Amino acid sequence: MERPAPLNGYLKGNAVSTTPQHGARSRYDAEIRSTLQNIAQNSITTSLSQRFQEDTDRAARYSADVGPLFVDYSKQHIDKDILATLCTLARDTGVPEQFAALRAGAHLNNTEDRATNYPSLRRWAVDGKSSDHAINEMYSSMAKLVAAVHSGELTGATGKAFTDVVNIGIGGSDFGPRLVCDALANQGDGILNAHFAANIDPSVITEILATVPAETTLFIVASKSFGTQETRSNANAARAWLSSTLNCKNVDQHFVAVTSKPSAAKNFGIKEELILCTPEWVGGRFSLWSSFGLAVALCFGMDNFRAILQGGHAIDLHVEHTPLEDNVPVILGLLDVWYRNAWGISSQAVLPYEHHLKLLPIYLQQLFMESAGKSVSRDGEVLKYGTGGVIWGTEGTNGQHSFHQLLHQGSDTIPCDFIASLRSYNPVGEQHQNLIANCFSQSLVLMQGQSAADIKQTLINNGTGPEEATQLAQHKAMLGNRPSTTILMRQLDASALGALIALYEYRLFTASFVWGINPFDQWGVELGKQISQTLMGALSGDDVSSLDSSTAQLIARYQEAQKT
Ligand code: F6P
């Protein structure tokens, strides 16, 4: 049986002096870590298959309906004692209090002094109003703009109704609406056609502009800061293209902005009445819930946008009112801590068996890796334990013909999330049933594996000689005991998607609060942005003598290539 890596630094202790948790963390260091350590060492002696044999209720015990989702985590290395210890850990590190603080609008994003009250955005969709004026303002301007576009009140420069929307934004100003528009396209054509331009690579905007009709295309310039180089460059390119294609200087009504910096959008040339303001505290990677979902509302209607928020709200209710021991997003977050810090696992695969969730792994990459890619505590203390790991994956069954070999027989254990919808919008013969069969069989095989002895016997029974059978069996043997969670939805719709995204957010918050990090900031991306400005100058001929010889050499190659 596979052994987890030795318990690492988290369990060696590191007091994090965050106010309400300080004492708890000391207790954690003193007492709970040894319990966790013991449980981890014991848990390796019980395989997942054994756990199922010993507990016939296991599947029901470790699964639950959560809003429109069904989550089965029974194929995880979990039992009563592990769960109890992990929940104690959550309590001792103040997870419930931090969820309450989040809902109360506390500034949990301490390095930027910002609130993180995402549930309040989702609640608006249920109540139809918010106690926060800025939230009401944001959604009512959004709804007005959407109605004006759909009714033809707002048209392009030549008076024709819009048919296409290009969302120009990057990172959190792109991944969310892009994921949702792709997911909802499952249900048929949208009201408007959606396009997304993120990368500064000129091929991206060039290729989009080559396909959209100039007269009837609306551009959303989506940027919280309105200072992002990629977004401003792509927006400038779109504006220049539109002016020259329509042979008209005033193309203002083709550009709307979504931003927390309305004055910067205005300076950029966006008309004041076409600027949607988002409260400053809404973080980029959590901004799908806000007016940054404009592309979704334009292409699939305000009702679908609200349904996403309502799906997320169902998870808010679950998290708020369910004891930790049954609180599914919390348990998933605690499992992430468990694997990261007790098993030494730093990779997690997300495997949607639903073509229209193919962008989910990319979305979750930003959500988890920009949030939990931290190595200091909220108070800036260097942590001695591992935090966020690598999130990756692709749609099934494509991945089965690519990296699943490593999931099954590679030297590392990689926990997997399988996500599937039980009904297809595009049924063709038995294809969807086949897809689901593949999905369920992958998690089964990861868990059960197959021993060399069984394989050898089968080979011998089928006529292979004993020596060859022994040899071949070594290669064919599958260790099994590899954990996974399966998340099912009846059919992929806006509500299920909203619930899925909120589930992952709470999972991330849970792990982050246990680790004592701030999941809401992203200082690590700033330096790269600054240096790229310096290198813009160097590529144009500025002095490179202060640069390292590798970078100077690469710059020289670029300059040389421009000459021919
Ligand atoms: O990549 C860093 C980041 O700040 C993300 O957090 C954000 O989603 C993205 O850039 C885009 O920023 P903005 O919306 O300000 O253009």
Side-chain angles (χ1 to χ4, degrees):
M1 188 184 310
E2 197 168 334
R3 296 181 68 82
L7 296 166
N8 71 12
Y10 188 68
L11 300 173
K12 291 192 194 108
N14 180 42
V16 177
S17 57
T18 305
T19 356
Q21 308 161 35
H22 183 56
R25 272 196 185 274
S26 307
R27 190 173 104 65
Y28 169 69
D29 288 334
E31 298 169 29
I32 305 175
R33 69 186 165 107
S34 62
T35 313
L36 254 191
Q37 187 163 5
N38 287 338
I39 288 180
Q41 298 298 353
N42 289 339
S43 76
I44 60 166
T45 59
T46 312
S47 71
L48 289 170
S49 299
Q50 255 175 291
R51 291 190 190 285
F52 275 95
Q53 279 156 19
E54 287 166 9
D55 179 1
T56 48
D57 287 338
R58 184 173 172 82
R61 198 183 310 284
Y62 299 115
S63 63
D65 287 292
V66 191
L69 307 175
F70 174 71
V71 183
D72 181 343
Y73 52 97
S74 61
K75 294 193 185 81
Q76 295 287 358
H77 290 282
I78 195 169
D79 62 19
K80 202 161 48 65
D81 293 338
I82 296 168
L83 185 59
T85 306
L86 290 173
C87 288
T88 303
L89 174 59
R91 283 194 186 91
D92 280 14
T93 50
V95 171
E97 288 81 1
Q98 290 182 75
F99 280 149
L102 181 135
R103 285 190 292 271
H107 285 205
L108 290 191
N109 182 357
N110 62 328
T111 61
E112 296 177 302
D113 195 15
R114 287 177 188 160
T116 54
N117 194 352
Y118 298 106
S120 68
L121 299 178
R122 300 184 282 254
R123 202 163 43 232
W124 166 86
V126 179
D127 298 346
K129 60 179 176 354
S130 168
S131 52
D132 182 334
H133 176 65
I135 293 178
N136 285 327
E137 265 295 301
M138 172 177 74
Y139 292 125
S140 81
S141 331
M142 181 179 177
K144 265 189 219 145
L145 182 65
V146 171
V149 170
H150 288 170
S151 67
E153 187 195 324
L154 180 71
T155 65
T158 60
K160 292 192 181 162
F162 290 115
T163 57
D164 289 66
V165 172
V166 180
N167 187 86
I168 300 179
I170 196 161
S173 305
D174 167 70
F175 292 132
R178 193 193 284 256
L179 163 71
V180 177
C181 286
D182 187 47
L184 297 186
N186 217 8
Q187 300 171 38
D189 290 341
I191 304 164
L192 279 81
N193 305 312
H195 313 265
F196 291 87
N199 198 336
I200 198 165
D201 185 327
S203 301
V204 173
I205 192 72
T206 304
E207 286 169 15
I208 289 174
L209 297 179
T211 58
V212 294
E215 278 182 290
T216 59
T217 296
L218 179 68
F219 293 90
I220 302 172
V221 188
S223 176
K224 204 172 124 52
S225 61
F226 229 85
T228 304
Q229 188 193 46
E230 292 92 330
T231 302
R232 290 177 73 98
S233 301
N234 280 331
N236 276 327
R239 195 155 51 183
W241 168 81
L242 204 57
S243 300
S244 79
T245 311
L246 296 182
N247 196 18
C248 124
K249 278 210 175 77
N250 190 359
V251 291
D252 289 357
Q253 66 227 62
H254 287 257
F255 287 86
V256 303
V258 185
T259 187
S260 300
K261 295 276 186 281
S263 54
K266 205 171 150 206
N267 290 342
F268 189 79
I270 311 281
K271 284 166 88 174
E272 209 164 346
E273 61 271 27
L274 295 182
I275 298 173
L276 291 187
C277 294
T278 312
E280 185 71 55
W281 61 264
V282 175
R285 56 194 172 275
F286 310 103
S287 63
L288 170 65
W289 312 110
S290 72
S291 50
F292 278 86
L294 178 64
V296 176
L298 283 169
C299 296
F300 295 95
M302 207 57 199
D303 284 350
N304 265 311
F305 175 73
R306 285 175 87 115
I308 292 165
L309 271 54
Q310 282 160 353
H313 180 72
I315 304 299
D316 292 327
L317 292 178
H318 173 85
V319 169
E320 187 174 354
H321 300 294
T322 311
L324 291 187
E325 283 73 7
D326 300 312
N327 202 313
V328 175
V330 168
I331 292 169
L332 297 182
L334 291 172
L335 283 168
D336 288 342
V337 173
W338 170 237
Y339 289 127
R340 180 73 180 106
N341 300 128
W343 289 66
I345 292 170
S346 58
S347 175
Q348 159 82 42
V350 175
L351 310 169
Y353 275 65
E354 160 59 67
H355 178 60
H356 282 276
L357 280 179
K358 60 183 175 297
L359 300 179
L360 184 68
I362 297 173
Y363 178 85
L364 294 179
Q365 260 171 3
Q366 190 205 21
L367 181 65
F368 277 72
M369 293 166 77
E370 197 165 80
S371 301
K374 310 284 165 64
S375 45
V376 296
S377 75
R378 284 171 51 82
D379 301 328
E381 188 179 352
V382 176
L383 300 173
K384 298 193 183 105
Y385 46 83
T387 57
V390 177
I391 304 279
W392 58 281
T394 196
E395 64 182 300
T397 60
N398 295 5
Q400 289 177 214
H401 302 275
S402 162
F403 52 76
H404 279 229
Q405 164 65 34
L406 184 140
L407 295 177
H408 289 294
Q409 286 190 312
S411 53
D412 293 324
T413 291
I414 300 175
C416 298
D417 282 357
F418 292 92
I419 303 158
S421 47
L422 298 173
R423 294 176 67 92
S424 173
Y425 286 98
N426 302 299
V428 176
E430 293 195 327
Q431 280 191 223
H432 182 253
Q433 191 166 317
N434 231 310
L435 176 73
I436 298 300
N438 272 281
C439 175
F440 294 174
S441 67
Q442 286 297 305
S443 63
L444 186 151
V445 169
L446 280 166
M447 175 186 71
Q448 282 188 347
Q450 201 177 14
S451 71
D454 286 352
I455 293 168
K456 181 179 165 187
Q457 197 52 57
T458 309
L459 287 168
I460 289 171
N461 293 348
N462 289 338
T464 310
E467 209 173 310
E468 195 187 340
T470 307
Q471 248 243 326
L472 209 47
Q474 293 307 320
H475 292 277
K476 290 186 155 207
M478 315 260 282
L479 290 169
N481 208 28
R482 303 211 155 177
S484 69
T485 293
T486 299
I487 302 174
L488 302 177
M489 58 191 82
R490 181 177 155 79
Q491 201 154 20
L492 176 57
D493 59 16
S495 162
L497 186 55
L500 188 64
I501 294 169
L503 176 98
Y504 273 105
E505 277 187 12
Y506 278 112
R507 171 175 171 174
L508 161 76
F509 296 157
T510 301
S512 301
F513 294 159
V514 171
W515 285 324
I517 60 173
N518 174 2
F520 305 106
D521 62 13
Q522 60 287 318
W523 297 106
V525 296
E526 292 307 321
L527 183 60
K529 287 183 190 173
Q530 286 163 26
I531 300 288
S532 84
Q533 289 299 332
T534 309
L535 292 201
M536 277 288 281
L539 289 167
S540 306
D542 286 358
D543 180 29
V544 293
S545 57
S546 63
L547 295 174
D548 67 87
S549 57
S550 165
T551 309
Q553 163 179 272
L554 299 174
I555 288 170
R557 289 253 165 184
Y558 172 82
Q559 288 168 336
E560 193 55 37
Q562 308 313 307
K563 290 179 189 161
T564 49

